[in-house]
Amino acid sequence: TATSGVRVITFGDGRLNALGALTRKRLFEDLQTAESDKSVSSVILLGAGQNFSAGADLTEFDNLVASTQNSVSLVDVVNYVEDFSKPIVAAIQGVALGGGCELALACHYRVALPTARIGLPEVTVGVIPGAGGTQRLPRLVGVQKALNMILTAKPVSATQAFDLGLVDEVAATTDTSLEACAAKWADWAVLMPLNDRRLSRQS
């Protein structure tokens, strides 16, 4: 959907929106289309259904090399999002966990419903965040708070995320108002420099 220069890209299967190979490929292609479209001035990323994204597709873990060969990796996606030439706003509902949180961190702005939960629970399955979360989160919320989120694996609420500086605004409770809130930021972001919002580029 594109309205007044704002393109809404909805991704995932409508359930947990796990970031498996097919979802990554489609998202990457949709982003490329939006970037090359001169009528698009900014982008909103929205998970299909009731969640932003629960992160990696755990069914790919048994054959991680095969899952990334000849496909777009999650690192490719998040780096492309961060380096995108137009502002991208993450509209977070439900959960944004693991790779889903890392995708949101790569976006230039983040808004969330009050019921959203955001976190990096990778340590519970014996790994650490592998798509930039360990770099971007400390630069956004500070080292101590980031370490606490990563090592305890406990997600934070939208209100807590706002207090931490992890999200820019907590929207009202309906999906329509989430998109409206994100669109407000997407319109405003066009006027602002992007480099200040590229977390991995900060020293």
Side-chain angles (χ1 to χ4, degrees):
T1 306
T3 305
S4 302
V6 179
R7 172 72 53 85
V8 179
I9 296 177
T10 303
F11 66 94
D13 61 4
R15 298 187 295 274
L16 294 176
N17 301 328
L19 295 167
L22 182 58
T23 297
R24 297 192 305 267
K25 178 177 182 292
R26 288 175 174 170
L27 177 54
F28 197 86
E29 290 172 350
D30 286 345
L31 287 165
Q32 287 179 313
T33 299
E35 187 163 40
S36 63
D37 189 337
K38 293 182 179 179
S39 71
V40 175
S41 57
S42 55
V43 170
I44 295 169
L45 282 192
L46 180 69
Q50 300 302 308
N51 291 293
F52 186 73
S53 172
D57 184 347
L58 295 182
T59 64
E60 292 184 349
F61 274 37
D62 289 339
N63 199 350
L64 195 56
V65 173
S67 73
T68 55
Q69 281 181 338
N70 302 315
S71 72
V72 179
S73 72
L74 182 56
V75 173
D76 292 332
V77 174
V78 297
N79 286 343
Y80 186 51
V81 166
E82 184 174 72
D83 291 335
F84 208 69
S85 62
K86 304 169 184 181
I88 300 181
V89 180
I92 304 169
Q93 77 279 43
V95 298
L97 300 175
C101 177
E102 291 177 300
L103 177 59
L105 286 169
C107 294
H108 307 113
Y109 298 89
R110 289 158 293 280
V111 300
L113 287 180
T115 52
R117 291 181 297 127
I118 305 169
L120 294 168
E122 282 87 344
V123 295
T124 63
V125 292
V127 297
I128 61 171
T134 56
Q135 291 80 44
R136 293 185 178 96
L137 186 62
R139 288 170 177 165
L140 191 60
V141 306
V143 173
Q144 190 60 49
K145 293 173 182 176
L147 277 173
N148 185 62
M149 283 185 66
I150 293 168
L151 297 179
T152 66
K154 293 180 180 178
V156 297
S157 68
T159 301
Q160 290 171 317
F162 177 77
D163 290 341
L164 288 168
L166 181 51
V167 300
D168 297 288
E169 185 174 349
V170 179
T173 55
T174 65
D175 288 338
T176 300
S177 63
L178 175 64
E179 284 197 42
C181 180
K184 175 184 67 178
W185 282 90
D187 283 334
W188 177 80
V190 173
L191 306 174
M192 305 303 293
L194 277 181
N195 279 340
D196 293 344
R197 308 295 296 194
R198 293 183 171 121
L199 294 173
S200 73
R201 304 295 182 261
Q202 296 175 9
S203 57

